[in-house]
């Protein structure tokens, strides 16, 4: 399983918290790329409830990871 920022962004608006099946359903309904669906299918724990994308991809960048100073612009 591999995630990129582009792939993970397809799940930003998912109905969190969600199970694996709910995330797969959301990805299919929204036309997410096949790589997203494959990544979700590789999740082993069927019954676990995921609170956010960070539960699937712990390295998902947050706003704190960007060095953009909004006050400068």
């Amino acid at each position: 399983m591999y995630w990129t920022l582009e792939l993970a962004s397809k799940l930003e608006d998912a109905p969190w918290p969600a199970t694996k099946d709910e995330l797969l359903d959301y990805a299919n309904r929204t036309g997410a790329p096949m790589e997203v669906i494959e990544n979700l299918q590789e999740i082993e724990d069927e019954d676990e409830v995921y609170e956010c994308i960070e539960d699937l991809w712990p390295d998902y960048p947050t706003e704190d990871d960007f060095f953009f100073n909004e006050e400068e612009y």
Side-chain angles (χ1 to χ4, degrees), residues 5 61-73:
L5 189 55
T62 62
E63 288 183 16
D64 296 336
D65 294 331
F66 296 102
F67 299 109
F68 181 76
N69 187 352
E70 291 179 8
E71 295 176 4
E72 290 182 12
Y73 299 95

Side-chain angles (χ1 to χ4, degrees), residues 17-29:
T19 63
K20 173 185 174 177
D21 290 336
E22 291 170 334
L23 291 172
L24 278 168
D25 180 58
Y26 174 81
N28 283 316
R29 285 186 293 109

Side-chain angles (χ1 to χ4, degrees), residues 15-72:
W16 303 104
T19 63
K20 173 185 174 177
D21 290 336
E22 291 170 334
L23 291 172
L24 278 168
D25 180 58
Y26 174 81
N28 283 316
R29 285 186 293 109
T30 58
M34 195 61 183
E35 291 89 350
V36 172
I37 295 169
E38 289 171 356
N39 283 345
L40 293 172
Q41 289 173 337
E42 289 182 26
I43 296 172
E44 293 180 11
D45 193 354
E46 299 277 334
D47 298 326
E48 185 171 346
V49 175
Y50 300 96
E51 297 294 326
C52 58
I53 187 66
E54 287 89 359
D55 289 348
L56 299 174
W57 185 31
D59 293 332
Y60 184 74
T62 62
E63 288 183 16
D64 296 336
D65 294 331
F66 296 102
F67 299 109
F68 181 76
N69 187 352
E70 291 179 8
E71 295 176 4
E72 290 182 12

